[in-house]
Amino acid sequence: MTDVVIVGAGLAGLSAARALQRAGKQVVVLEARERVGGRTHSIDVGGARLDVGGQWIGPTQHRMVALARALGLATFPTFHEGRKVLELEGRRTQYSGSIPSLPPLGLLDLEVARRMMDWQRQRVPTAAPQAASAARRLDALSVEAWKRRLMRTDSARGVFDAAFRVVFGAEPSEVSALWFLAYCNAGGGFMQLVEVEGAAQEQRFVGGAQGVSEAIAAALGDAVQLNAPVRAISWRDDGATVHIDGTSIETRAVVLAVPPPLVRGIRFDPPLPAVRDQLLQRVPMGATIKCLVRYARPFWRDAGWSGEAVSDGDLLSVTYDNTSHDGGVAALVGFIVGAAARAWSGRGREARERAVLAQLAGWFGPEAATPMMYEDTDWSAEPWSGGCPVSNPAPGVLTTAAATLAQPVGCLHFAGTETATEWTGYMEGAVQSGERAAAEI
């Protein structure tokens, strides 16, 4: 018997548990994995902890900044000095700063589109995008269709596509334009989502981003139970029975802090309302394979490269320098996303390694082909995530669904970064969603 059962020990679930425990409630956190952290996961690489899941925070992500400070977790700036690679339709160029090396018409096209995106996204409320004046028109469009109305040049479209795929783990044709604009608004604009300095990729955790969840879980103590997948929930308005392997827990309230599609893997008695179930069927997870490559030294820095690359090809979309804070472990990190991730998922790690190293060598020189270590994480193959970084409503979902992802059902409350109204899809959004669910209870 407990006051609240929380399903999922990622940042959303642990933030909810932290807030509820501080309010004097008795909580139990049930995690299916053998670890906490959800879509954050840090591994040991040569004595440093590097991330194979979510890893960056930015200066306007106030909850994460405050949480890191309260938990005594140090951060450091992402290295981004030097030349960058841009590859569009097989043609490779280089540039410095934040302005890609596009033809003049492409640059103008991209800037006009950026301004139009900023103008439109500010008119989409993050808490209720379906209430926007143009909601039905925008929700009827995929981002692909909306982008083609907004951008005229292939070069501008190519840069946008590469950035979009990494942020959402999906193709522009698969995602509602209304969701895209609400998502951008929650983070302060599309450029805030994709840039480094002063933006979402500005800082990394010295001990890895999973350390945030580990520190919260340590403070919660025995309230956190690992290897405890929730199989079924019998619920009513004033309480529930949560069933895990071998036992059941009686509780007054439940917080479901797992990716929306995974909620459907739990058997509910009575079933969830049909409108909620329909919504959960139409918000698939993005597809991401995160590739981590360790080298004996950061040779790209010596050659004047930042380690950043952007490509519209069918393998890596983006890379960054991922060297440890002290420079002791040199690494690059890259992302295979969207349709490319789905295609490469079935080809095996060895095939991916050969292809990724060849692509890196083409960008940064032959030394990139001889790493000390290659590791990749296919998040779509993770049974308790189902994908990464976020789930995305298809066109037509937001304005036709009779429910929202954050709306409680009886004693059931819903958390997770997809339900956030600030920095949706990011660690900041996960923390906000957990605190909001706790406040509801």
Side-chain angles (χ1 to χ4, degrees):
M1 187 73 190
T2 192
D3 291 328
V4 185
V5 167
I6 297 164
V7 183
L11 275 169
L14 292 171
S15 296
R18 184 173 185 256
L20 287 163
Q21 199 176 74
R22 289 185 167 192
K25 302 298 181 185
Q26 185 182 29
V27 300
V28 173
V29 183
L30 301 175
E31 170 56 49
R33 293 183 176 93
E34 74 287 347
R35 63 170 182 85
V36 300
R39 284 171 266 181
T40 61
H41 188 198
S42 309
I43 62 173
D44 182 82
V45 178
R49 288 196 87 197
L50 302 183
D51 291 295
V52 295
Q55 69 179 62
W56 289 287
I57 63 170
T60 62
Q61 296 175 5
H62 304 299
R63 291 175 182 82
M64 283 300 295
V65 171
L67 198 52
R69 188 181 301 116
L71 297 172
L73 302 175
T75 62
F76 68 105
T78 301
F79 181 87
H80 65 291
E81 299 168 11
R83 304 187 312 278
K84 305 172 186 178
V85 175
L86 176 64
E87 187 177 72
L88 297 176
E89 297 184 327
R91 181 174 175 270
R92 195 175 302 146
T93 57
Q94 56 183 270
Y95 67 102
S96 298
S98 59
I99 301 175
S101 51
L102 299 180
L105 280 178
L107 281 176
L108 178 62
D109 196 16
L110 200 60
E111 176 60 17
V112 171
R114 183 192 68 79
R115 294 188 181 192
M116 280 299 296
M117 279 190 279
D118 260 354
W119 181 83
Q120 282 200 299
R121 60 99 178 164
Q122 291 177 45
R123 285 152 180 77
V124 178
T126 58
Q130 67 275 15
S133 59
R136 289 196 175 276
R137 176 176 61 82
L138 290 168
D139 198 33
L141 294 173
S142 68
V143 175
E144 177 69 21
W146 178 79
K147 174 199 74 180
R148 289 187 173 275
R149 294 183 181 185
L150 206 61
M151 302 177 196
R152 302 297 181 183
T153 61
D154 289 339
S155 58
R157 290 172 177 175
V159 170
F160 175 83
D161 286 350
F164 178 91
R165 289 173 182 134
V166 173
V167 172
F168 294 89
E171 296 298 312
S173 59
E174 299 167 342
V175 179
S176 159
L178 182 65
W179 168 254
F180 168 75
L181 290 169
Y183 195 100
C184 290
N185 207 22
F190 189 57
M191 300 309 293
Q192 280 290 104
L193 307 186
V194 301
E195 291 190 340
V196 175
E197 192 168 355
Q201 281 70 234
E202 184 177 83
Q203 297 281 324
R204 293 167 54 199
F205 287 92
V206 170
Q210 188 185 354
V212 181
S213 293
E214 290 169 336
I216 298 173
L220 291 170
D222 293 340
V224 180
Q225 298 182 22
L226 303 180
N227 299 304
V230 172
R231 306 299 187 184
I233 299 175
S234 305
W235 63 279
R236 53 200 182 277
D237 287 344
D238 61 349
T241 306
V242 179
H243 305 277
I244 56 177
D245 294 337
T247 191
S248 300
I249 303 173
E250 294 291 331
T251 183
R252 294 185 176 88
V254 177
V255 176
L256 290 145
V258 297
L262 268 62
V263 174
R264 299 193 72 243
I266 300 171
R267 187 173 70 255
F268 290 91
D269 182 22
L272 291 178
V275 291
R276 172 59 65 106
D277 190 62
Q278 281 287 311
L279 175 61
L280 294 174
Q281 291 181 46
R282 300 164 72 194
V283 286
M285 293 298 294
T288 296
I289 302 173
K290 187 172 182 179
C291 308
L292 185 62
V293 192
R294 181 192 177 190
Y295 296 95
R297 63 187 185 90
F299 62 86
W300 55 93
R301 296 185 183 183
D302 299 336
W305 297 102
S306 69
E308 288 181 58
V310 176
S311 172
D312 67 348
D314 59 0
L315 189 61
L316 294 174
S317 286
V318 170
T319 65
Y320 290 95
D321 184 304
N322 210 48
T323 301
S324 61
H325 73 284
D326 57 2
V329 176
L332 292 170
V333 65
F335 298 86
I336 308 173
V337 283
R342 293 191 288 269
W344 282 96
S345 179
R347 298 183 192 180
R349 196 194 69 85
E350 291 184 3
R352 292 195 295 267
E353 179 177 358
R354 289 193 297 269
V356 166
L357 296 183
Q359 188 170 13
L360 293 176
W363 288 346
F364 301 119
E367 201 167 347
T370 55
M372 296 176 66
M373 183 206 81
Y374 172 89
E375 179 73 39
D376 70 28
T377 301
D378 182 355
W379 281 91
S380 296
E382 292 282 311
W384 305 114
S385 292
C388 221
V390 68
S391 64
N392 300 292
V397 171
L398 292 177
T399 53
T400 59
T404 68
L405 289 173
Q407 185 177 326
V409 176
C411 69
L412 307 177
H413 300 258
F414 297 85
T417 191
E418 288 85 358
T419 70
T421 58
E422 296 176 33
W423 283 100
T424 312
Y426 291 76
M427 290 186 276
E428 176 79 4
V431 174
Q432 187 219 22
S433 75
E435 293 176 348
R436 184 260 310 148
E440 290 172 356
I441 293 167

